[in-house]
Amino acid sequence: MDSLAAAPGTGPATSPLPILRKPRPAAKFEDLPTDRTLVMGILNVTPDSFSDGGKHETADSAIAAGLRMFYAGADIIDVGGESTRPGAEDVSPEEEQRRVLPVIQALVKAGALVSIDTTHASTATAALDAGAAIINDISGLSIEPEMAELVATSKVPYILTHRRGDARTMNSLAEYTDVAAEVVAELAGVRDKLYAAGVSQEQIIVDPGLGFAKNDAHNWELLRNLDRLESLGHKVLVGASRKRFLGSLLTEAGKAAVPEERDAATAAITAIVAARGAWAVRVHNVRPSLDAVKVASRLAAAHTTH
Ligand code: PMM
């Protein structure tokens, strides 16, 4: 039961057995709040993701961590079974589904809104059958173009993330003259393929893909130019949480901050992108980002007297 006591990134558990709470009615995408930036909690059921890889070796420990994020207030739980870190090995769809499906089923049963982080159409299909409500495909259709058909027929929201190449090649493809313009143009190209397959404008959520074929300077430039991404006319999701560019920013005595030391900087980014109207942030530690969203919302509602 130790796994229930120490949630990664969410601080000490307040309830020793969150898993035993009563099931709630299934959450719906349409019921998500629209008056503030949403917070998506990251749940990697993988042995090797860069921040939380290896923490959830059993479905039970992953479910407990997901439930803690849900009860901490996460609007969406993003469940992934394949590491996306540079150089990561491919995982078969069968193994990926073995990892994620029991976790999705349990979280949905508890009333959480779940997204499936996958590049495989078969895993996305199985996840939707298990109750997931959003597809998060960091490949931007580049691995399995048939994902477009699935999004069109299932009518679920689809997170379209900018990336060049794959986990093995992306670092060598981080060459841009105007990163924001190129990311927007490349996202628009994939968006048009989604439209051609019959996907609607409201289904698409765009994501700059921080760290995916981007160096530190590219990530900062994209964050600064979020409005250019918004000009595509879709909801925007930002995934900066604990990424390497924050580790380098927080370098002390020549040593980059380790992932767990990057949460305050992550929350600072959440406050900034929330103030700029991002639809959602994808984070490991839910609570600080929820607080950051509150700060941004309260500031936006403050009166100016002159
Ligand atoms: N980053 C990672 C994985 N999935 N999905 C979206 N939409 N955006 C991201 O930036 C993103 C993602 C890699 O980070 P992780 O290993 O912490 O999940």
Side-chain angles (χ1 to χ4, degrees):
M1 280 296 138
D2 251 11
S3 58
L4 292 176
T10 52
T14 46
S15 159
L17 284 174
I19 203 165
L20 296 181
R21 290 195 195 187
K22 268 204 213 140
R24 298 188 193 175
K28 294 203 180 73
F29 184 83
E30 303 74 64
D31 297 336
L32 285 169
T34 53
D35 58 347
R36 62 166 171 84
T37 299
L38 303 174
V39 175
M40 170 189 271
I42 301 171
L43 188 59
N44 286 321
V45 195
T46 57
D48 59 347
S49 282
F50 82 93
S51 168
D52 55 353
K55 288 216 172 122
H56 313 305
E57 305 223 322
T58 65
D60 278 355
S61 89
I63 293 164
L67 288 174
R68 280 195 290 275
M69 284 196 271
F70 176 48
Y71 296 131
D75 299 292
I76 303 164
I77 311 289
D78 188 42
V79 180
E82 180 173 29
S83 172
T84 52
R85 63 183 295 160
E89 289 299 316
D90 290 345
V91 173
S92 72
E94 293 72 29
E95 170 60 15
E96 188 186 25
Q97 289 162 37
R98 191 191 65 74
R99 294 177 185 176
V100 299
L101 294 180
V103 178
I104 295 172
Q105 278 155 357
L107 296 180
V108 169
K109 195 167 167 197
L113 191 74
V114 171
S115 60
I116 172 68
D117 187 345
T118 186
T119 58
H120 298 121
S122 60
T123 299
T125 304
L128 296 182
D129 288 345
I134 302 169
I135 298 173
N136 177 24
D137 170 16
I138 53 118
S139 82
L141 297 183
S142 67
I143 294 184
E144 295 190 5
E146 58 269 37
M147 189 76 98
E149 264 62 59
L150 172 64
V151 180
T153 50
S154 63
K155 302 196 184 333
V156 296
Y158 176 77
I159 302 170
L160 164 58
T161 303
H162 179 271
R163 182 172 84 163
R164 285 180 178 173
D166 56 27
R168 272 181 295 275
T169 59
M170 62 184 176
N171 279 351
S172 62
L173 299 169
E175 302 257 353
Y176 305 86
T177 40
D178 177 345
V179 67
E182 288 166 61
V183 164
V184 167
E186 289 168 29
L187 282 173
V190 186
R191 186 261 314 265
D192 290 346
K193 289 187 192 155
L194 288 163
Y195 280 166
V199 176
S200 70
Q201 183 251 334
E202 316 82 68
Q203 270 176 277
I204 302 169
I205 298 150
V206 291
D207 179 330
L210 301 177
F212 293 133
K214 321 278 176 336
N215 63 27
D216 291 9
H218 298 139
N219 293 330
W220 289 114
E221 195 172 336
L222 281 165
L223 281 169
R224 184 162 178 160
N225 289 285
L226 214 57
D227 54 329
R228 289 167 76 181
L229 216 69
E230 275 159 3
S231 71
L232 279 167
H234 303 286
K235 300 178 180 77
V236 173
L237 181 139
V238 174
S241 186
R242 295 185 180 177
K243 284 195 174 163
R244 206 183 45 202
F245 74 113
L246 298 180
S248 358
L249 177 76
L250 303 175
T251 296
E252 271 182 34
K255 203 169 160 288
V258 299
E260 292 73 18
E261 293 168 345
R262 303 172 191 168
D263 282 346
T266 300
I269 291 183
T270 296
I272 291 165
V273 302
R276 296 196 188 157
W279 171 74
V281 289
R282 179 180 179 278
V283 296
H284 299 87
N285 193 349
V286 162
R287 205 37 217 267
S289 279
L290 283 165
D291 291 353
V293 166
K294 279 193 184 154
V295 169
S297 300
R298 183 62 189 85
L299 197 61
H303 288 292
T304 38
T305 44
H306 57 273

